[in-house]
Amino acid sequence: AKEKGRGTYQVFDGHMREQEVAMAALEVDLYQALELGQFKAAYQPIVCLESQRLVSFELLMRWQHPTLGMVPPDKFIPLAEETGQIFDMGLWVFEQACQQLQQWRELVDEHRLPTIAVNLSAVQLNQPNLIDKLDVILARTGTKGRHLKLEITETALMENTQAVNEILGSLRERHIELAIDDFGTGYSSLSYLDQLPVQVLKIDRSFVNSLIDRGEEHEGTQEIVKATISLAHSLKVKVVAEGIETEDQWRTLHGYHCDFGQGYLFAKPMWPDQATEYLLDNLDR
Ligand code: C2E
Ligand code: CA
Ligand code: CA
Ligand code: CA
């Protein structure tokens, strides 16, 4: 590219600067987003593949930006992790989940209440006094830990530090279940599975996606997914498959005895009112 002369450089530099400026602007806006109430919680059902019953909702964060519209979490979560804003945002998300549970408890018998799964970024594992802060929210909202799950990526959990172990122990004491998120995308080692206090494993969408590619069965992926499910089960860990979009994927995963599924085939992420409606509609199934 160097030989192409200065023109190329200028175009390249100009482009970079534009992106940097856009990112910097987004960062500034992100600082105020919480205060201005621009974050929203969406809820996506997780269902039992056998009975198709609703078992849980995953809370997925949304940012309603005043001029850019809906900014996807893949854009703003990494930014928030860099700036440390993820700490406050994470507590906000946790509180939303607890408040939602409180609201649903008024409509639904406690034993039929779905759990809410909340994503916890690796960075949050380093938040000072994280557990104390979660305890304050649990107490304030009168929420029992067993109605909540935390989803953490495997790479975050592999950091077997004292701090992480203490947090995992505290979650266990509070009956907050732990799910390994995006399983298979990191340097996953199935051998870690029995060293961690994990109750749920979420197979990443990329695997579900390539089980069957345009009608063509993908044997390699199928074997990996089958083996993952059976090993998880032998360790008493339940399995959720992410991103199920087709009947074929659902049938295949059900055939592998995968416990739960999440994906557009069942439902897309919904705003709280729709989620409540979905919950009430699915109670008597
Ligand atoms: P994730 O935890 O893997 O969440 C699943 C993502 O897959 C969600 O994307 C969901 O909308 C999408 N999805 C679900 N079913 C389907 C399907 O059938 N097909 C397709 N194509 N996609 C499906 P979303 O909401 O854009 O979130 C992206 C990521 O952002 C999440 O991935 C998670 O890592 C992160 N994220 C979202 N909310 C939070 C949060 O509150 N805290 C943290 N730390 N991270 C969050
Ligand atoms: Ca997740
Ligand atoms: Ca996931
Ligand atoms: Ca994923």
Side-chain angles (χ1 to χ4, degrees), residues 190 203 207 210-211 217-231 252 256:
L190 284 163
I203 296 179
F207 290 94
S210 54
L211 279 175
E217 310 235 324
H218 199 291
E219 220 174 299
T221 307
Q222 295 188 346
E223 290 305 323
I224 290 169
V225 170
K226 237 191 283 185
T228 303
I229 294 168
S230 103
L231 187 90
T252 304
Y256 298 166

Side-chain angles (χ1 to χ4, degrees), residues 55-188:
V55 292
S56 186
F57 281 101
E58 179 176 2
L59 192 165
L60 294 159
M61 206 178 186
R62 300 287 178 260
W63 179 13
Q64 175 77 72
H65 188 281
T67 54
L68 299 172
M70 210 58 83
V71 183
D74 294 334
K75 272 245 170 67
F76 68 84
I77 299 279
L79 198 59
E81 289 175 338
E82 253 172 61
T83 63
Q85 293 169 84
I86 193 71
F87 288 170
D88 285 341
M89 286 159 59
L91 294 177
W92 180 86
V93 164
F94 192 78
E95 173 129 24
Q96 291 301 301
C98 291
Q99 286 177 5
Q100 189 60 74
L101 284 166
Q102 197 179 27
Q103 195 202 322
W104 285 342
R105 266 206 316 268
E106 287 167 16
L107 304 170
V108 177
D109 283 348
E110 185 151 331
H111 69 279
R112 302 174 89 183
L113 206 60
T115 56
I116 295 184
V118 170
N119 290 284
L120 198 77
S121 136
V123 176
Q124 288 174 268
L125 290 172
N126 299 315
Q127 180 164 10
N129 308 315
L130 173 67
I131 294 294
D132 292 342
K133 287 172 174 140
L134 300 187
D135 277 342
V136 169
I137 297 172
L138 290 173
R140 184 163 62 223
T141 55
T143 307
K144 294 191 181 112
R146 62 187 173 82
H147 294 304
L148 291 160
K149 289 193 173 65
L150 289 181
E151 300 191 356
I152 310 182
T153 60
E154 47 188 339
T155 16
L157 292 171
M158 301 290 97
E159 284 185 42
N160 234 340
T161 62
Q162 177 75 14
V164 170
N165 286 330
E166 265 173 39
I167 289 176
L168 300 187
S170 302
L171 294 177
R172 206 178 184 166
E173 281 170 21
R174 285 153 185 75
H175 306 287
I176 298 177
E177 286 200 344
L178 187 63
I180 299 194
D181 209 351
D182 298 342
F183 193 82
T185 59
Y187 297 98
S188 44

